[in-house]
Amino acid sequence: MTTHSFQLYCQRVDVTKNMARYYALSLQPTLFGEIAVVRCWGRIGKRGGEKSEVFDTESEAARHFLELARLKRAKGYRPVGNCGNPGDSQQFFAAAE
């Protein structure tokens, strides 16, 4: 069972390219005691895609979460708000670097 709840919501907006995208990540427990990394993406204001990946341990899921956050930061996504996480949302991107 997860001891920490992590969520990340970030956006990438470029008016010159008519680009307005979002990307959301979260760690969620499954009914069977595993941990799922759930990600959602799409155009801001529209329904997008969703994918869940299940891990046996929280540390494996957290590593995957941080790797995905690092990849999105490299593509220009920036966090918006704190998504209900304690503290500053910038810490997630800083930890992923």
XYZ file of all heavy atoms in Angstrom:
768
model
N 0.835 -1.180 0.000
C 0.000 0.000 0.000
C 0.879 1.242 0.000
O 1.907 1.268 0.634
C -0.890 -0.042 1.231
C -2.072 0.856 1.141
S -3.121 0.313 -0.205
C -4.647 0.913 0.325
N 0.451 2.254 -0.691
C 1.244 3.467 -0.810
C 1.261 4.267 0.493
O 0.248 4.369 1.178
C 0.737 4.351 -1.967
O 1.569 5.501 -2.070
C -0.680 4.787 -1.787
N 2.427 4.787 0.826
C 2.540 5.624 2.011
C 2.508 7.101 1.637
O 2.299 7.943 2.487
C 3.856 5.337 2.770
O 4.950 5.529 1.881
C 3.862 3.918 3.294
N 2.711 7.406 0.366
C 2.697 8.782 -0.120
C 1.752 8.888 -1.313
O 1.648 7.962 -2.104
C 4.095 9.220 -0.559
C 5.087 9.217 0.550
N 5.800 8.100 0.894
C 5.461 10.177 1.410
C 6.588 8.388 1.904
N 6.403 9.638 2.240
N 1.104 10.011 -1.421
C 0.253 10.274 -2.565
C 0.901 11.378 -3.385
O 1.148 12.468 -2.869
C -1.132 10.722 -2.087
O -1.922 11.074 -3.179
N 1.200 11.080 -4.626
C 1.830 12.063 -5.489
C 0.962 12.319 -6.702
O 0.429 11.383 -7.300
C 3.203 11.583 -5.969
C 4.221 11.495 -4.880
C 4.661 10.270 -4.448
C 4.735 12.636 -4.299
C 5.607 10.176 -3.449
C 5.678 12.556 -3.297
C 6.117 11.313 -2.871
N 0.836 13.588 -7.045
C 0.131 13.999 -8.244
C 0.928 15.117 -8.879
O 1.543 15.925 -8.186
C -1.264 14.517 -7.916
C -2.161 13.494 -7.293
C -3.502 14.093 -6.899
O -3.779 15.252 -7.172
N -4.321 13.307 -6.266
N 0.909 15.158 -10.199
C 1.591 16.219 -10.925
C 0.730 16.597 -12.108
O 0.284 15.717 -12.859
C 2.965 15.747 -11.404
C 3.743 16.723 -12.271
C 4.144 17.957 -11.461
C 4.976 16.061 -12.846
N 0.458 17.888 -12.263
C -0.273 18.381 -13.419
C 0.586 19.450 -14.053
O 0.989 20.416 -13.396
C -1.630 18.968 -13.008
C -2.379 19.560 -14.179
C -3.097 18.739 -15.042
C -2.342 20.920 -14.438
C -3.775 19.264 -16.122
C -3.010 21.453 -15.517
C -3.724 20.627 -16.360
O -4.381 21.146 -17.443
N 0.912 19.278 -15.331
C 1.736 20.263 -16.012
C 1.154 20.574 -17.385
O 0.339 19.824 -17.923
C 3.188 19.815 -16.093
S 3.441 18.161 -16.679
N 1.584 21.709 -17.914
C 1.090 22.162 -19.205
C 2.243 22.619 -20.081
O 3.301 23.014 -19.587
C 0.128 23.345 -19.030
C -1.123 23.015 -18.298
C -2.025 24.233 -18.118
O -1.606 25.376 -18.282
N -3.273 23.972 -17.781
N 1.975 22.562 -21.372
C 2.907 23.106 -22.365
C 2.074 23.929 -23.333
O 1.225 23.390 -24.048
C 3.621 21.980 -23.095
C 4.624 22.459 -24.116
C 5.333 21.299 -24.755
N 6.231 21.766 -25.792
C 6.715 21.002 -26.739
N 6.417 19.713 -26.764
N 7.518 21.500 -27.641
N 2.300 25.226 -23.326
C 1.517 26.140 -24.167
C 2.472 26.926 -25.051
O 3.437 27.517 -24.570
C 0.675 27.101 -23.297
C -0.090 28.079 -24.162
C -0.269 26.319 -22.397
N 2.185 26.925 -26.351
C 2.939 27.708 -27.325
C 1.942 28.289 -28.309
O 1.446 27.589 -29.198
C 3.969 26.842 -28.042
C 4.877 27.646 -28.958
O 4.525 28.791 -29.318
O 5.943 27.123 -29.327
N 1.620 29.570 -28.141
C 0.601 30.224 -28.960
C 1.013 30.248 -30.433
O 0.162 30.091 -31.306
C 0.338 31.654 -28.437
C -0.683 32.373 -29.296
C -0.123 31.601 -26.994
N 2.285 30.391 -30.711
C 2.732 30.465 -32.108
C 2.502 29.158 -32.863
O 2.370 29.158 -34.076
C 4.224 30.835 -32.198
O 5.000 29.813 -31.569
C 4.491 32.175 -31.533
N 2.447 28.037 -32.143
C 2.214 26.737 -32.768
C 0.796 26.220 -32.517
O 0.490 25.072 -32.830
C 3.207 25.711 -32.224
C 4.643 26.005 -32.559
C 5.545 24.948 -31.963
C 6.995 25.240 -32.262
N 7.874 24.241 -31.638
N -0.069 27.073 -31.916
C -1.425 26.671 -31.542
C -1.391 25.414 -30.669
O -2.179 24.495 -30.837
C -2.304 26.448 -32.774
C -3.768 26.326 -32.427
O -4.224 26.870 -31.428
N -4.500 25.581 -33.228
N -0.452 25.380 -29.726
C -0.261 24.226 -28.852
C -0.711 24.575 -27.436
O -0.279 25.582 -26.872
C 1.215 23.826 -28.816
C 1.504 22.645 -27.920
S 3.260 22.367 -27.655
C 3.884 22.274 -29.306
N -1.583 23.752 -26.889
C -2.038 23.903 -25.509
C -2.295 22.498 -24.968
O -3.379 21.956 -25.104
C -3.300 24.752 -25.440
N -1.268 21.908 -24.381
C -1.340 20.518 -23.930
C -1.230 20.411 -22.421
O -0.620 21.252 -21.773
C -0.198 19.715 -24.546
C -0.231 19.666 -26.049
C 0.947 18.906 -26.577
N 0.926 18.882 -28.027
C 1.951 18.540 -28.777
N 3.091 18.182 -28.208
N 1.839 18.538 -30.079
N -1.784 19.328 -21.888
C -1.630 19.033 -20.473
C -1.116 17.603 -20.314
O -1.235 16.770 -21.204
C -2.951 19.201 -19.708
C -3.991 18.148 -20.009
C -4.043 16.962 -19.281
C -4.918 18.329 -21.031
C -4.990 15.992 -19.560
C -5.868 17.366 -21.315
C -5.904 16.206 -20.585
O -6.827 15.239 -20.865
N -0.529 17.354 -19.156
C -0.020 16.027 -18.816
C -0.161 15.884 -17.312
O 0.309 16.730 -16.557
C 1.449 15.896 -19.229
C 1.966 14.488 -19.209
C 1.735 13.637 -20.280
C 2.681 14.004 -18.134
C 2.217 12.336 -20.277
C 3.159 12.713 -18.122
C 2.928 11.887 -19.194
O 3.394 10.595 -19.187
N -0.847 14.848 -16.889
C -1.066 14.618 -15.453
C -0.528 13.245 -15.068
O -0.718 12.271 -15.799
C -2.547 14.715 -15.125
N 0.143 13.184 -13.941
C 0.686 11.940 -13.401
C 0.203 11.775 -11.970
O 0.079 12.756 -11.238
C 2.219 12.006 -13.339
C 3.021 11.776 -14.587
C 4.472 12.150 -14.339
C 2.917 10.351 -15.026
N -0.038 10.531 -11.577
C -0.371 10.277 -10.177
C 0.016 8.852 -9.803
O 0.103 7.973 -10.657
C -1.858 10.497 -9.904
O -2.644 9.563 -10.615
N 0.291 8.670 -8.515
C 0.506 7.344 -7.946
C -0.768 6.973 -7.213
O -1.240 7.735 -6.372
C 1.674 7.351 -6.954
C 3.064 7.509 -7.515
C 4.088 7.478 -6.376
C 3.391 6.438 -8.514
N -1.316 5.797 -7.530
C -2.567 5.374 -6.913
C -2.481 3.910 -6.520
O -1.960 3.100 -7.284
C -3.730 5.571 -7.876
C -3.933 6.998 -8.297
C -5.064 7.148 -9.296
O -5.760 6.198 -9.627
N -5.243 8.358 -9.786
N -3.015 3.557 -5.354
C -3.036 2.142 -4.962
C -4.068 1.379 -5.787
O -5.086 1.937 -6.193
C -3.437 2.181 -3.491
C -4.186 3.463 -3.338
C -3.586 4.421 -4.332
N -3.800 0.098 -6.038
C -4.774 -0.756 -6.709
C -5.532 -1.559 -5.654
O -5.163 -1.560 -4.477
C -4.089 -1.732 -7.689
O -3.313 -2.670 -6.933
C -3.207 -1.001 -8.681
N -6.550 -2.263 -6.077
C -7.330 -3.087 -5.152
C -6.541 -4.276 -4.615
O -6.913 -4.884 -3.620
C -8.591 -3.599 -5.844
C -9.624 -2.536 -6.198
C -10.755 -3.151 -7.007
C -10.165 -1.886 -4.938
N -5.438 -4.620 -5.276
C -4.665 -5.798 -4.911
C -3.371 -5.454 -4.183
O -2.470 -6.281 -4.085
C -4.372 -6.631 -6.155
C -5.628 -7.013 -6.886
C -5.953 -6.407 -8.074
C -6.494 -7.954 -6.350
C -7.121 -6.741 -8.742
C -7.659 -8.293 -7.010
C -7.985 -7.686 -8.204
N -3.251 -4.220 -3.691
C -2.094 -3.813 -2.908
C -0.892 -3.386 -3.725
O 0.177 -3.166 -3.170
N -1.055 -3.260 -5.016
C 0.036 -2.783 -5.867
C -0.091 -1.268 -6.014
O -1.033 -0.667 -5.528
C -0.049 -3.459 -7.237
C 0.031 -4.966 -7.159
C -0.546 -5.633 -8.393
O -1.603 -5.189 -8.868
O 0.063 -6.591 -8.861
N 0.871 -0.674 -6.706
C 0.868 0.765 -6.942
C 0.811 1.004 -8.443
O 1.580 0.418 -9.207
C 2.139 1.436 -6.376
C 2.332 1.095 -4.903
C 2.097 2.946 -6.578
C 1.204 1.561 -4.015
N -0.093 1.886 -8.863
C -0.232 2.210 -10.279
C 0.251 3.634 -10.533
O -0.036 4.540 -9.752
C -1.675 2.072 -10.724
N 1.001 3.801 -11.614
C 1.336 5.127 -12.116
C 0.301 5.412 -13.196
O 0.242 4.711 -14.206
C 2.766 5.185 -12.695
C 3.036 6.550 -13.307
C 3.788 4.863 -11.624
N -0.533 6.405 -12.954
C -1.600 6.748 -13.891
C -1.225 8.057 -14.564
O -0.881 9.035 -13.892
C -2.957 6.895 -13.163
C -4.056 7.264 -14.143
C -3.291 5.610 -12.428
N -1.276 8.066 -15.894
C -0.985 9.294 -16.622
C -2.116 9.609 -17.585
O -2.713 8.731 -18.187
C 0.345 9.227 -17.345
C 0.604 7.982 -18.123
C 2.008 8.016 -18.693
N 2.491 6.684 -18.984
C 3.484 6.439 -19.800
N 4.093 7.423 -20.409
N 3.881 5.205 -20.006
N -2.415 10.893 -17.676
C -3.449 11.402 -18.568
C -2.838 12.535 -19.380
O -2.033 13.294 -18.860
C -4.636 11.943 -17.777
S -5.358 10.767 -16.641
N -3.242 12.660 -20.632
C -2.675 13.697 -21.483
C -3.686 14.111 -22.528
O -4.652 13.403 -22.790
C -1.398 13.191 -22.154
C -1.676 12.055 -23.096
C -1.990 12.142 -24.428
C -1.700 10.665 -22.789
N -2.206 10.891 -24.952
C -2.034 9.959 -23.957
C -1.488 9.933 -21.628
C -2.141 8.579 -24.010
C -1.590 8.561 -21.683
C -1.908 7.898 -22.857
N -3.439 15.275 -23.120
C -4.295 15.741 -24.202
C -4.220 17.237 -24.369
O -3.382 17.916 -23.784
N -5.133 17.750 -25.180
C -5.237 19.181 -25.400
C -6.026 19.774 -24.239
O -7.027 19.202 -23.803
C -5.937 19.462 -26.729
C -5.966 20.914 -27.105
C -6.354 21.084 -28.572
N -6.518 22.478 -28.908
C -5.524 23.307 -29.208
N -4.285 22.856 -29.224
N -5.740 24.560 -29.501
N -5.590 20.923 -23.739
C -6.268 21.579 -22.627
C -7.725 21.845 -23.018
O -8.000 22.376 -24.087
C -5.551 22.888 -22.232
C -4.152 22.571 -21.717
C -6.361 23.669 -21.193
C -3.285 23.790 -21.468
N -8.632 21.425 -22.137
C -10.047 21.621 -22.376
C -10.719 20.472 -23.106
O -11.930 20.484 -23.300
N -9.955 19.471 -23.509
C -10.493 18.316 -24.228
C -10.159 17.034 -23.466
O -9.224 16.977 -22.696
C -9.897 18.215 -25.640
C -10.090 19.435 -26.494
C -11.528 19.574 -26.903
C -11.676 20.787 -27.806
N -13.018 21.028 -28.205
N -10.933 16.012 -23.756
C -10.650 14.702 -23.175
C -9.488 14.092 -23.948
O -9.476 14.091 -25.167
C -11.880 13.818 -23.261
C -11.693 12.483 -22.621
C -13.020 11.727 -22.614
N -12.811 10.358 -22.230
C -12.819 9.922 -20.985
N -13.011 10.780 -20.009
N -12.635 8.652 -20.707
N -8.541 13.543 -23.237
C -7.362 12.970 -23.878
C -7.218 11.497 -23.583
O -8.189 10.803 -23.289
N -5.993 11.034 -23.620
C -5.704 9.631 -23.364
C -5.377 9.375 -21.907
O -5.131 10.288 -21.130
N -5.391 8.090 -21.561
C -5.043 7.681 -20.202
C -4.358 6.324 -20.257
O -4.730 5.470 -21.058
C -6.286 7.584 -19.320
C -5.965 7.227 -17.886
C -7.190 7.243 -16.990
O -7.962 8.199 -17.063
O -7.346 6.274 -16.234
N -3.352 6.158 -19.405
C -2.637 4.895 -19.329
C -2.249 4.631 -17.885
O -1.828 5.545 -17.178
C -1.377 4.952 -20.196
C -0.597 3.665 -20.225
C 0.591 3.748 -21.171
C 1.305 2.422 -21.228
N 2.405 2.432 -22.184
N -2.390 3.385 -17.458
C -1.987 2.975 -16.112
C -0.937 1.883 -16.217
O -1.074 0.973 -17.034
C -3.181 2.426 -15.328
O -4.137 3.422 -15.132
N 0.078 1.984 -15.385
C 1.117 0.958 -15.311
C 1.222 0.534 -13.844
O 1.332 1.374 -12.963
C 2.444 1.498 -15.807
C 2.392 1.868 -17.298
C 3.621 2.610 -17.732
O 3.661 3.838 -17.531
O 4.549 1.958 -18.253
N 1.179 -0.764 -13.599
C 1.150 -1.304 -12.242
C 2.534 -1.815 -11.843
O 3.207 -2.479 -12.628
C 0.101 -2.429 -12.138
C 0.089 -3.030 -10.745
C -1.282 -1.902 -12.512
N 2.921 -1.492 -10.602
C 4.213 -1.898 -10.059
C 4.005 -2.613 -8.737
O 3.059 -2.329 -8.009
C 5.113 -0.670 -9.849
C 5.462 0.023 -11.132
C 4.633 1.000 -11.655
C 6.607 -0.321 -11.829
C 4.943 1.631 -12.843
C 6.928 0.304 -13.016
C 6.091 1.284 -13.530
N 4.899 -3.532 -8.429
C 4.806 -4.294 -7.176
C 5.159 -3.457 -5.955
O 4.595 -3.638 -4.881
C 5.706 -5.526 -7.222
C 5.215 -6.574 -8.208
O 3.981 -6.662 -8.402
O 6.056 -7.280 -8.781
N 6.127 -2.539 -6.116
C 6.572 -1.743 -4.971
C 6.404 -0.251 -5.243
O 6.422 0.192 -6.393
C 8.051 -2.010 -4.632
O 8.861 -1.533 -5.718
C 8.312 -3.487 -4.398
N 6.274 0.474 -4.158
C 6.130 1.921 -4.262
C 7.404 2.574 -4.807
O 7.333 3.542 -5.568
C 5.796 2.507 -2.891
C 5.473 3.975 -2.922
C 5.029 4.506 -1.584
O 4.985 3.746 -0.608
O 4.719 5.707 -1.527
N 8.557 2.024 -4.468
C 9.813 2.624 -4.943
C 9.957 2.476 -6.460
O 10.431 3.398 -7.130
C 11.016 2.024 -4.220
O 11.130 0.646 -4.476
N 9.544 1.342 -7.018
C 9.572 1.170 -8.474
C 8.635 2.168 -9.149
O 8.988 2.787 -10.152
C 9.138 -0.243 -8.870
C 10.104 -1.337 -8.522
C 9.514 -2.708 -8.825
O 8.331 -2.950 -8.544
O 10.273 -3.533 -9.360
N 7.448 2.314 -8.588
C 6.471 3.244 -9.148
C 6.972 4.684 -9.050
O 6.826 5.459 -10.003
C 5.136 3.090 -8.431
N 7.579 5.042 -7.923
C 8.095 6.400 -7.742
C 9.219 6.697 -8.725
O 9.286 7.798 -9.280
C 8.575 6.590 -6.306
N 10.102 5.726 -8.953
C 11.175 5.924 -9.939
C 10.596 6.174 -11.330
O 11.042 7.059 -12.067
C 12.107 4.719 -9.972
C 13.229 4.780 -8.959
C 14.312 3.753 -9.256
N 13.833 2.388 -9.111
C 13.759 1.723 -7.961
N 14.134 2.323 -6.850
N 13.327 0.486 -7.913
N 9.593 5.393 -11.694
C 8.956 5.561 -13.006
C 8.256 6.923 -13.096
O 8.364 7.611 -14.107
C 7.971 4.421 -13.253
C 7.419 4.399 -14.633
N 8.200 4.182 -15.751
C 6.153 4.566 -15.090
C 7.440 4.223 -16.827
N 6.191 4.456 -16.449
N 7.560 7.305 -12.029
C 6.893 8.602 -11.951
C 7.896 9.728 -12.201
O 7.666 10.623 -13.017
C 6.258 8.736 -10.568
C 5.521 10.023 -10.314
C 4.144 10.065 -10.379
C 6.203 11.181 -9.958
C 3.452 11.244 -10.115
C 5.526 12.354 -9.704
C 4.142 12.389 -9.787
N 9.028 9.690 -11.500
C 10.039 10.743 -11.637
C 10.688 10.744 -13.015
O 11.003 11.802 -13.565
C 11.102 10.605 -10.543
C 10.610 10.931 -9.136
C 11.677 10.570 -8.109
C 10.209 12.387 -9.027
N 10.864 9.564 -13.601
C 11.430 9.496 -14.953
C 10.476 10.123 -15.966
O 10.897 10.871 -16.855
C 11.740 8.042 -15.334
C 12.271 7.874 -16.731
C 13.613 8.550 -16.999
O 14.314 8.950 -16.057
O 13.970 8.686 -18.194
N 9.186 9.836 -15.846
C 8.202 10.447 -16.741
C 8.169 11.961 -16.566
O 8.098 12.708 -17.544
C 6.812 9.852 -16.492
C 6.628 8.398 -16.905
C 5.290 7.870 -16.387
C 6.725 8.233 -18.413
N 8.239 12.432 -15.315
C 8.260 13.869 -15.041
C 9.498 14.514 -15.665
O 9.409 15.598 -16.254
C 8.222 14.125 -13.535
N 10.641 13.841 -15.569
C 11.877 14.371 -16.160
C 11.754 14.490 -17.676
O 12.128 15.503 -18.268
C 13.057 13.463 -15.814
C 14.403 14.010 -16.273
C 15.520 12.993 -16.095
N 15.342 11.822 -16.931
C 15.591 11.794 -18.250
N 16.012 12.871 -18.881
N 15.417 10.685 -18.943
N 11.200 13.471 -18.313
C 11.034 13.499 -19.766
C 10.103 14.626 -20.210
O 10.360 15.291 -21.223
C 10.509 12.150 -20.262
C 11.478 10.975 -20.138
C 10.772 9.665 -20.460
C 12.684 11.177 -21.031
N 9.037 14.849 -19.477
C 8.093 15.918 -19.832
C 8.723 17.290 -19.619
O 8.499 18.211 -20.398
C 6.786 15.782 -19.048
C 5.968 14.612 -19.531
C 5.635 14.780 -20.998
C 5.061 13.540 -21.598
N 4.789 13.676 -23.030
N 9.513 17.439 -18.559
C 10.193 18.720 -18.344
C 11.144 19.008 -19.500
O 11.226 20.135 -19.982
C 10.946 18.725 -17.030
C 11.661 20.050 -16.793
C 12.236 20.127 -15.397
N 12.924 21.365 -15.171
C 12.357 22.482 -14.728
N 11.080 22.504 -14.472
N 13.070 23.580 -14.533
N 11.833 17.995 -19.978
C 12.753 18.173 -21.106
C 12.018 18.607 -22.372
O 12.592 19.282 -23.222
C 13.519 16.876 -21.360
N 10.749 18.238 -22.483
C 9.953 18.628 -23.651
C 9.286 19.989 -23.491
O 8.590 20.447 -24.384
C 8.880 17.575 -23.931
C 9.449 16.309 -24.502
C 8.339 15.409 -24.961
C 8.933 14.203 -25.674
N 7.904 13.437 -26.372
N 9.456 20.627 -22.328
C 8.923 21.968 -22.136
C 7.685 22.069 -21.277
O 7.123 23.150 -21.122
N 7.220 20.985 -20.688
C 6.060 21.033 -19.794
C 6.477 21.654 -18.467
O 7.568 21.414 -17.972
C 5.510 19.628 -19.543
C 4.732 19.069 -20.703
C 5.386 18.480 -21.782
C 3.341 19.129 -20.726
C 4.668 17.962 -22.850
C 2.622 18.611 -21.791
C 3.289 18.035 -22.851
O 2.587 17.520 -23.908
N 5.567 22.455 -17.896
C 5.826 23.108 -16.619
C 4.664 22.839 -15.671
O 3.506 22.851 -16.081
C 5.990 24.625 -16.799
C 7.196 24.994 -17.650
C 8.488 24.597 -16.950
N 9.660 24.848 -17.771
C 10.387 23.917 -18.373
N 10.040 22.653 -18.269
N 11.447 24.220 -19.069
N 4.948 22.616 -14.374
C 3.873 22.320 -13.411
C 2.962 23.520 -13.197
O 3.395 24.666 -13.274
C 4.628 21.955 -12.138
C 5.965 22.565 -12.286
C 6.260 22.632 -13.759
N 1.700 23.214 -12.917
C 0.693 24.231 -12.634
C 0.092 23.897 -11.279
O -0.485 22.822 -11.099
C -0.407 24.228 -13.713
C -1.481 25.252 -13.381
C 0.183 24.479 -15.091
N 0.232 24.783 -10.301
C -0.317 24.549 -8.965
C 0.420 23.443 -8.235
O 1.460 22.962 -8.677
N -0.160 22.996 -7.110
C 0.501 21.944 -6.341
C -0.280 20.631 -6.347
O 0.126 19.669 -5.720
C 0.792 22.396 -4.910
C -0.462 22.569 -4.085
O -1.571 22.328 -4.538
N -0.283 23.003 -2.856
N -1.423 20.567 -7.041
C -2.194 19.320 -7.216
C -2.553 18.651 -5.900
O -2.696 17.434 -5.847
C -1.445 18.333 -8.095
S -1.139 18.913 -9.743
N -2.634 19.392 -4.826
C -2.972 18.793 -3.542
C -1.787 18.185 -2.825
O -1.931 17.605 -1.756
N -0.600 18.274 -3.402
C 0.606 17.761 -2.756
C 1.062 18.745 -1.686
O 0.923 19.944 -1.854
C 1.743 17.595 -3.776
C 1.415 16.569 -4.826
O 0.980 15.478 -4.508
N 1.605 16.925 -6.076
N 1.619 18.250 -0.605
C 2.176 19.167 0.388
C 3.416 19.842 -0.184
O 4.214 19.201 -0.864
C 2.539 18.252 1.556
C 2.681 16.898 0.958
C 1.772 16.857 -0.234
N 3.541 21.121 0.017
C 4.721 21.829 -0.455
C 4.583 22.307 -1.883
O 3.512 22.345 -2.458
N 5.708 22.635 -2.470
C 5.778 23.242 -3.794
C 5.844 22.181 -4.879
O 6.615 21.236 -4.791
C 7.021 24.132 -3.837
C 7.168 24.901 -5.120
O 6.211 24.941 -5.914
O 8.255 25.465 -5.330
N 5.069 22.337 -5.952
C 5.065 21.366 -7.046
C 6.394 21.361 -7.796
O 6.708 20.392 -8.483
C 3.920 21.651 -8.016
O 4.094 22.915 -8.628
N 7.178 22.410 -7.680
C 8.471 22.458 -8.360
C 9.416 21.371 -7.844
O 10.339 20.957 -8.541
C 9.118 23.830 -8.181
C 8.340 24.967 -8.796
C 8.318 24.900 -10.303
O 9.220 24.378 -10.928
N 7.272 25.435 -10.897
N 9.174 20.856 -6.622
C 10.041 19.842 -6.038
C 10.042 18.564 -6.885
O 11.032 17.853 -6.940
C 9.643 19.539 -4.611
C 8.321 18.800 -4.491
C 7.904 18.562 -3.066
O 8.726 18.670 -2.167
N 6.652 18.250 -2.852
N 8.922 18.260 -7.542
C 8.852 17.036 -8.331
C 9.744 17.123 -9.550
O 10.435 16.178 -9.897
C 7.409 16.724 -8.724
C 6.566 16.424 -7.535
C 5.624 17.331 -7.105
C 6.744 15.258 -6.809
C 4.853 17.070 -5.998
C 5.981 14.991 -5.690
C 5.042 15.900 -5.277
N 9.732 18.280 -10.212
C 10.598 18.439 -11.361
C 12.060 18.525 -10.921
O 12.952 18.033 -11.580
C 10.218 19.658 -12.188
C 9.181 19.367 -13.227
C 8.145 20.239 -13.459
C 9.237 18.202 -13.984
C 7.194 19.970 -14.423
C 8.288 17.922 -14.948
C 7.269 18.813 -15.164
N 12.303 19.164 -9.793
C 13.672 19.249 -9.285
C 14.198 17.862 -8.945
O 15.343 17.531 -9.236
C 13.721 20.155 -8.062
N 13.363 17.022 -8.356
C 13.786 15.650 -8.002
C 14.006 14.805 -9.239
O 14.792 13.872 -9.221
C 12.734 15.005 -7.113
N 13.343 15.141 -10.325
C 13.443 14.350 -11.548
C 14.669 14.730 -12.375
O 15.019 14.034 -13.312
C 12.175 14.531 -12.397
N 15.312 15.835 -12.050
C 16.469 16.265 -12.847
C 17.725 15.543 -12.460
O 17.901 14.993 -11.474
C 16.669 17.768 -12.692
C 15.547 18.533 -13.346
C 15.714 20.026 -13.202
O 16.432 20.512 -12.309
O 15.105 20.737 -13.994
